[in-house]
Amino acid sequence: MSKLIIFLVTIFFMISCSQNLKQETLITVKGKIPVEEMGISLIHEHILVDFIGADSTGYHRWEKSKVIERALPFLMEAKRKGVNTFFECTPAYLGRDPLLLKELSEKTGINIVTNTGYYGVRDNKYIPKHAFDETSEDIAKVWIEEFNNGIEGSGVFPGFIKIAVERKDTLSPMHVKIVKAAAITHKATGLTIVSHTGTDGPAFTQLEILKIEGVSPEAFVWTHAQDGTFEGYMKAAKQGAWISLDNFNKNNFDKPGGIDWFVELLTKLKKENMLHKILISHDAGWYDPGQENGGNYRSYNDIFEYLIPTLKKHGFSQEDIDLLLIKNPQRAYAVNIKKMK
Ligand SMILES: [Zn+2]
């Protein structure tokens, strides 16, 4: 009998050890968590965005306590809707504030995820000066350093790479450099590449660069894909890329991002068995230090109050909803090096 118990205990330990080895993690502002703990996740939102430009922004531009006072009720409301993980997509030089996010995570109990990377849109206004003369390798070194040692001595680590490119089929040399830097960083860290992209052209241009660099499309999130085409989504998703429809807003009605548009598109994607590559979010928030009292702050509620009930009326199961809001974010953002096979 005792031999049998020892045998069973040994088997149990072997199984649990092998599961630990395989356990996939997400890096939040408070540290690593197993992806199974993510729960309902909003993958593209903002708490703070400062549009003044890389040459003038900095922590002097806002008072943390004021931003917290403004953002906290919106985050608590999201928590009451069931949100457990929140991806803050503001990159460095555009208002990223790791300690602010950590404090908000501690106050709300929500897992918040921040990022490393540079934002190239608007004529490189948000690219730091040093990056203009540097190579992709130099830029990647800065991002990998943040992954290894934390952001600016804050003890907060990035959980994904956030970049942005212009909506052009041919990318500028600066933007090619940024995409290559993201590829190098991904291969060194396993962080997912989230790229503000929009239309089909730059999405496929970036996927080609990543492939040349040996990075699988599985590591790429086509951000703001709502401005792309259905054919583009199917083609990119079949390659493995993630399609991020991240502008749900009840006030858009039948326009892209509105309820009719979303329901029609998601129904079409469900029919094509493609829901497993789709991510949804609001791209809402945020405190803007350039505006009085941070300006208009849009809530993170519309998906829960409008989209989900409507999808259910249109034949979506709880399993479909969980795929969009729980399972897909786990698979898209688990830290994992995804190389071309
Ligand atoms: Zn955004």
Side-chain angles (χ1 to χ4, degrees):
M1 186 65 185
S2 65
K3 271 187 184 166
L4 180 66
I5 291 172
I6 291 168
F7 174 73
L8 288 174
V9 167
T10 312
I11 294 287
F12 174 77
F13 268 107
M14 281 168 70
I15 291 170
S16 65
C17 283
S18 69
Q19 275 174 347
N20 277 344
L21 282 177
K22 272 192 280 176
Q23 191 171 60
E24 294 198 300
T25 55
L26 174 76
I27 302 170
T28 79
V29 293
K30 292 202 302 179
K32 282 184 188 170
I33 60 165
V35 292
E36 291 77 15
E37 287 178 17
M38 285 167 66
I40 293 178
S41 303
L42 287 176
I43 53 88
H44 191 117
E45 310 291 348
H46 298 274
I47 287 171
L48 172 68
V49 187
D50 182 16
F51 291 104
I52 197 164
D55 54 354
S56 310
T57 190
Y59 299 124
H60 64 281
R61 290 266 301 154
W62 54 89
E63 263 179 61
K64 275 196 204 344
S65 60
K66 283 205 174 138
V67 185
I68 288 171
E69 200 185 304
R70 196 74 208 285
L72 194 60
F74 290 99
L75 286 168
M76 289 311 289
E77 225 184 323
K79 192 183 178 180
R80 283 193 291 275
K81 305 277 182 222
V83 173
N84 195 48
T85 300
F86 180 105
F87 289 75
E88 215 280 351
C89 289
T90 308
Y93 303 97
L94 199 56
R96 181 187 66 167
D97 186 337
L99 289 175
L100 168 86
L101 301 182
K102 192 177 174 195
E103 205 173 325
L104 279 166
S105 178
E106 277 159 1
K107 281 193 154 66
T108 57
I110 296 177
N111 302 311
I112 298 180
V113 188
T114 187
N115 62 84
T116 190
Y118 297 152
Y119 188 92
V121 172
R122 297 203 199 173
D123 291 328
N124 302 321
K125 190 179 172 186
Y126 306 107
I127 300 280
K129 222 172 152 197
H130 66 84
F132 287 92
D133 309 317
E134 288 177 344
T135 62
S136 297
E137 286 75 13
D138 296 331
I139 294 170
K141 218 168 152 186
V142 177
W143 302 350
I144 295 165
E145 163 72 18
E146 290 196 336
F147 174 83
N148 287 329
N149 298 314
I151 299 166
E152 300 159 353
S154 64
V156 172
F157 292 78
F160 63 102
I161 302 160
K162 173 76 189 285
I163 57 171
V165 298
E166 300 284 5
R167 295 178 180 208
K168 289 175 184 157
D169 295 356
T170 310
L171 298 180
S172 69
M174 183 69 208
H175 293 183
V176 171
K177 196 158 84 173
I178 287 175
V179 178
K180 279 189 186 165
I184 296 166
T185 306
H186 173 76
K187 286 185 283 183
T189 64
L191 294 180
T192 297
I193 302 165
V194 174
S195 180
H196 170 119
T197 297
T199 47
D200 291 22
F204 289 101
T205 306
Q206 289 178 90
L207 284 170
E208 285 315 307
I209 296 171
L210 294 182
K211 282 183 215 164
I212 291 165
E213 296 294 317
V215 174
S216 163
E218 298 270 353
F220 181 77
V221 177
W222 173 359
T223 296
H224 306 326
Q226 60 270 10
D227 297 326
T229 67
F230 186 77
E231 294 67 37
Y233 305 155
M234 293 298 292
K235 192 174 151 194
K238 278 179 186 160
Q239 292 180 22
W242 294 94
I243 313 300
S244 180
L245 307 168
D246 42 44
N247 68 332
F248 184 71
N249 183 339
K250 70 175 194 306
N251 296 322
N252 279 345
F253 303 104
D254 57 347
K255 287 194 291 246
I259 194 140
D260 297 348
W261 183 88
F262 250 86
V263 171
E264 197 187 319
L265 175 57
L266 291 174
T267 304
K268 244 169 121 183
L269 288 163
K270 183 174 148 75
K271 260 190 208 141
E272 297 285 347
N273 283 325
M274 212 40 102
L275 277 192
H276 67 288
K277 295 306 295 184
I278 306 298
L279 300 162
I280 60 170
S281 218
H282 302 96
D283 198 10
W286 51 76
Y287 186 100
D288 176 350
Q291 311 257 343
E292 211 187 310
N293 194 29
N296 285 329
Y297 201 117
R298 183 155 74 89
S299 86
Y300 314 112
N301 299 335
D302 287 3
I303 284 179
F304 306 98
E305 288 179 355
Y306 299 93
L307 183 60
I308 292 172
T310 313
L311 286 175
K312 284 188 173 168
K313 274 185 213 154
H314 283 76
F316 278 65
S317 63
Q318 189 58 46
E319 208 178 317
D320 296 328
I321 308 291
D322 290 350
L323 191 63
L324 292 169
L325 289 173
I326 301 174
K327 292 270 161 51
N328 290 351
Q330 287 180 0
R331 286 174 37 237
Y333 294 91
V335 180
N336 199 351
I337 297 170
K338 295 163 183 164
K339 287 191 182 166
M340 283 298 286
K341 282 169 195 136

